Amino acid sequence: MSRVFSDYVLQAKRILEDNWTGSSTKPAPSLYPHQWNWDSGFIAMGLSHYFPARAMKEIETLFAAQWENGMLPQIVFNERELGHYFPEPDFWQVERSPYAPRSVLTSGITMPPIHAVAVEEIYANARYPLKIMPFLKLMYPKLLSLHAFLFRERDPMDEGLVYIRHPWESGIDNSPSWDTILGQIHVDKTRLPAYMRKDLEHAVDASMRPTDDDYDRYVFLVELFKKNEYDEARIRQECPFLVQDPLFNSILCRSSESLVRIATILGEPADLPASWVEKTSAGIKNKLWDPARGIFNAYDLVAEKLIEIDTAAGFIPLYAGAATRDQAETLYERLNSSSFCALHQGNCFTIPNYDTQKDDFDRSNYWRGPVWININWMLAHGLRRYGYTLKADSLQKDLLQLPIRFGFHEYFDSFDGTGYGSDSFSWTAALFIDLVYRYYETPVSWKSSARVMAGLFSTDTILNNGDDMPQCDDEQIASEIMRAIRSLRDRFYDTGRGRVDYAGIKESAEYKKYRTLTNGLRKYDPSLLTGRKEKLSFWINLYNTIVVDAITTLGIERSVKEYPGFFRNFKFL
């Protein structure tokens, strides 16, 4: 692994170790003291690269709290930490449901079902996949049960789209998308049970959290669930918050894809999860697409209309492959605009959770403007899926530099990068680890501590092994390579559409000069680079150009998936 990243990976691993409770990982040291549903999925993906046993334990602990009807709860409470969070089991009273577990304390709602993706990643990243097979066999029926619950209980019109019934189920609690619905809920505060928020007791600025009025409505909805004994059919009849959310449904669709592959690995029939993929994908592209706004939006089942509020959730169908090619192109134009931080805009980090041009955009308030690592991690995958590699690279660079520069925070200022919310946040650490292992890991041993990066790919295809050497002093090689990279970018990168003209690159004088300069890396001493920012800028930009170099060399036409092991088959000396 590059020395540029190794110290930060160690720091990220320490965060996950410190947040480990013995059976699961809490999202943060004090603000979130229990196990959270989708947090555990992202955490397990990071753990899978270096600690598969713990990654499996993370998922197993969560699913040990699965309800008999298949629902996977939003929170699994740690009895040793009770009293430090609101709401806790005494408020949820899930024992009113005949399906709630009796030996585990949980909440009464769910969250985006990322877990099949996590299980697949644990298998895919394992050094010895056969040792993971018992885990796959254990988890597959539990994952099927979760998805079956969602389609059975939350898709009453059989559209392939499931609804959420509380903002907390979306994972993006105080998103502007929910303002209108929540604002229409009349709350008689004299009839609400007394409660005390705990989140503001952890040195968190109240202006960066949901308001008290938000919490009154959150509590109102939970009271409705309790009154109806968590019976989905009864809740559905009177709940004012029933929303088909593009983020939740896209994650469901992407996880169904993972279920298909897990079924294939296990030799099980994959027809059912395959049908879910097809149906949810069709529902997303046909019902949640807002052509007038060029984005996917949530659908309010009570009001029977799209919620015309544009947030980063509207881009997540890219992650599921649920957008048509035309939708993806329109979506990319919206994503790569000043509303969501365009390529090379220079004064922002990609991508903010909410349209920066809106009057109620708030760069520091929770889900109303900041950058979130998990959202952008999914978007980077989605952009690569559709071939928008430049924008994916831009997201990837920000996903790495934000924790490095500002700490492993819960979320980040979309303009100056300041970290907000809890520090030592588990999914920020886990997804940082995932990115470094996925794209920057190499088993090459360093010849000396000064040699910062000996190679960016892990086997023996060497790209800079030409005979021509640069006609410049050794200390100028790094600056000349950066200049050559800029020349390639200026001429062959279409930043408006996120595309690269690989055919043009291959025959160009700029590419020939770049290749000659990179030959000089064989004798270059990286200790000549001064300052952490200069080192990060050089190695990250070089890495991204090596990807372009490898694609150009191979003549890949559509996707790097055409070449198995692409990110492990090339390196520079």
Side-chain angles (χ1 to χ4, degrees):
M1 181 181 299
S2 164
R3 291 287 296 275
V4 173
F5 298 114
S6 60
D7 290 345
Y8 296 102
V9 168
L10 288 175
Q11 184 179 340
K13 290 178 179 180
R14 281 196 297 270
I15 289 170
L16 295 182
E17 183 63 35
D18 290 345
N19 288 341
W20 177 249
T21 68
S23 58
S24 65
T25 309
K26 54 188 177 182
S30 60
L31 184 57
Y32 306 104
H34 306 290
Q35 183 179 24
W36 259 258
N37 178 309
W38 73 332
D39 293 68
S40 283
F42 293 119
I43 290 165
M45 290 188 229
L47 290 169
S48 70
H49 291 282
Y50 68 99
F51 203 160
R54 182 164 290 181
M56 290 186 284
K57 181 66 173 177
E58 184 78 35
I59 298 298
E60 289 170 358
T61 300
L62 180 65
F63 275 82
Q66 188 171 28
W67 288 26
E68 289 183 15
N69 61 359
M71 191 189 83
L72 194 65
Q74 164 223 19
I75 302 174
V76 181
F77 292 103
N78 181 348
E79 294 187 34
R80 299 188 301 274
E81 295 286 350
L82 293 179
H84 303 294
Y85 185 78
F86 174 82
E88 287 190 332
D90 59 334
F91 185 84
W92 286 101
Q93 298 175 21
V94 299
E95 63 273 12
R96 297 186 184 204
S97 170
Y99 302 112
R102 300 304 180 221
S103 59
V104 185
L105 301 174
T106 78
S107 64
I109 57 176
T110 190
M111 293 191 87
I114 193 71
H115 316 91
V117 179
V119 169
E120 184 187 14
E121 286 294 304
I122 292 170
Y123 177 83
N125 294 329
R127 182 173 296 182
Y128 305 107
L130 286 178
K131 292 185 177 181
I132 310 298
M133 289 296 286
F135 172 71
L136 288 189
K137 292 175 182 177
L138 172 69
M139 294 310 306
Y140 182 65
K142 296 176 184 291
L143 292 164
L144 279 180
S145 178
L146 167 60
H147 286 228
F149 160 80
L150 292 169
F151 288 111
R152 182 182 67 249
E153 301 290 348
R154 299 293 190 89
D155 182 17
M157 293 179 287
D158 196 28
E159 297 177 291
L161 296 174
V162 308
Y163 66 75
I164 56 174
R165 52 173 165 82
H166 195 291
W168 288 337
E169 289 197 321
S170 70
I172 52 176
D173 306 6
N174 71 333
S175 168
S177 295
W178 318 140
D179 288 356
T180 298
I181 301 176
L182 294 179
Q184 292 171 347
I185 298 175
H186 173 70
V187 176
D188 183 350
K189 297 191 178 188
T190 66
R191 302 186 65 179
L192 284 181
Y195 71 91
M196 181 176 294
R197 294 178 61 172
K198 297 287 188 179
D199 56 322
L200 301 182
E201 297 178 2
H202 297 276
V204 178
D205 189 332
S207 69
M208 301 178 186
R209 300 287 297 176
T211 66
D212 287 343
D213 284 341
D214 289 334
Y215 261 81
D216 284 344
R217 283 153 179 80
Y218 300 159
V219 168
F220 171 88
L221 290 171
V222 175
E223 288 298 295
L224 186 152
F225 305 155
K226 288 154 58 176
K227 182 186 74 171
N228 287 286
E229 299 175 325
Y230 294 96
D231 182 281
E232 293 292 344
R234 289 164 56 189
I235 291 170
R236 193 159 54 239
Q237 295 303 311
E238 59 175 302
C239 185
F241 191 98
L242 299 175
V243 176
Q244 293 169 323
D245 173 37
L247 184 150
F248 193 104
N249 280 282
S250 295
I251 291 176
L252 174 62
C253 185
R254 174 62 185 83
S255 282
S256 293
E257 286 186 327
S258 286
L259 281 179
V260 171
R261 289 189 284 270
I262 293 170
T264 303
I265 292 167
L266 294 174
E268 297 283 349
D271 295 353
L272 181 59
S275 71
W276 290 337
V277 173
E278 182 177 358
K279 199 166 189 177
T280 304
S281 178
I284 291 169
K285 65 170 60 84
N286 294 328
K287 187 173 184 180
L288 303 187
W289 176 245
D290 188 339
R293 307 177 74 84
I295 197 170
F296 291 92
N297 271 317
Y299 189 89
D300 181 348
L301 284 173
V302 177
E304 298 184 338
K305 63 180 182 180
L306 284 172
I307 300 170
E308 296 181 345
I309 301 293
D310 304 343
T311 73
F315 304 124
I316 300 296
L318 294 172
Y319 178 56
T324 67
R325 174 54 62 183
D326 287 343
Q327 287 172 341
E329 291 182 359
T330 303
L331 201 62
Y332 179 78
E333 292 176 5
R334 187 83 173 90
L335 185 152
N336 190 41
S337 69
S338 59
S339 289
F340 290 96
C341 189
L343 274 170
H344 310 309
Q345 187 170 324
N347 66 340
C348 54
F349 292 93
T350 50
I351 72 164
N353 192 62
Y354 183 41
D355 186 340
T356 64
Q357 308 301 305
K358 298 298 182 183
D359 291 339
D360 56 344
F361 167 81
D362 188 334
R363 59 199 277 180
S364 63
N365 186 338
Y366 214 38
W367 293 99
R368 305 183 70 86
V371 169
W372 285 79
I373 297 299
N374 67 327
I375 297 296
N376 285 357
W377 180 89
M378 289 186 285
L379 286 177
H381 282 281
L383 287 163
R384 291 194 191 283
R385 183 168 186 161
Y386 283 85
Y388 296 109
T389 55
L390 288 181
K391 190 67 174 179
D393 288 344
S394 176
L395 262 71
Q396 182 178 308
K397 284 191 286 186
D398 283 355
L399 287 168
L400 293 170
Q401 69 166 312
L402 283 168
I404 287 173
R405 293 175 59 188
F406 304 104
F408 289 86
H409 284 273
E410 186 176 0
Y411 48 97
F412 299 86
D413 191 295
S414 38
F415 286 96
D416 66 24
T418 300
Y420 298 129
S422 177
D423 194 4
S424 298
F425 199 70
S426 290
W427 81 31
T428 301
L431 295 178
F432 180 88
I433 291 167
D434 175 77
L435 282 170
V436 173
Y437 272 86
R438 188 183 297 269
Y439 295 114
Y440 296 92
E441 182 190 23
T442 174
V444 175
S445 297
W446 306 108
K447 294 181 179 179
S448 71
S449 59
R451 193 159 181 80
V452 179
M453 189 175 286
L456 291 168
F457 300 92
S458 64
T459 55
D460 57 358
T461 301
I462 300 169
L463 292 172
N464 66 331
N465 62 347
D467 295 328
D468 295 337
M469 297 299 288
Q471 302 300 308
C472 63
D473 296 334
D474 289 354
E475 59 267 23
Q476 295 178 314
I477 287 176
S479 61
E480 289 297 319
I481 288 176
M482 292 294 286
R483 188 174 292 111
I485 288 172
R486 286 193 292 271
S487 296
L488 289 170
R489 182 182 299 147
D490 290 345
R491 182 175 176 190
F492 300 106
Y493 292 21
D494 182 348
T495 58
R497 297 176 63 83
R499 303 296 176 87
V500 179
D501 179 7
Y502 295 108
I505 287 176
K506 191 170 186 177
E507 304 301 326
S508 70
E510 290 90 344
Y511 181 55
K512 182 178 180 180
K513 181 177 181 180
Y514 162 79
R515 292 297 297 271
T516 299
L517 286 165
T518 59
N519 289 339
L521 288 175
R522 302 202 301 265
K523 61 177 184 178
Y524 180 66
D525 181 0
S527 66
L528 293 171
L529 295 170
T530 59
R532 185 171 297 277
K533 286 187 177 180
E534 181 184 3
K535 292 176 182 177
L536 282 172
S537 176
F538 178 74
W539 292 118
I540 291 175
N541 279 286
L542 181 63
Y543 165 78
N544 291 325
T545 310
I546 290 174
V547 173
V548 172
D549 192 353
I551 292 172
T552 303
T553 300
L554 288 170
I556 291 176
E557 296 181 357
R558 297 185 62 186
S559 169
V560 295
K561 292 182 179 179
E562 296 173 23
Y563 194 94
F566 174 85
F567 288 103
R568 297 182 181 275
N569 285 336
F570 299 92
K571 68 179 181 181
F572 271 14
L573 289 179

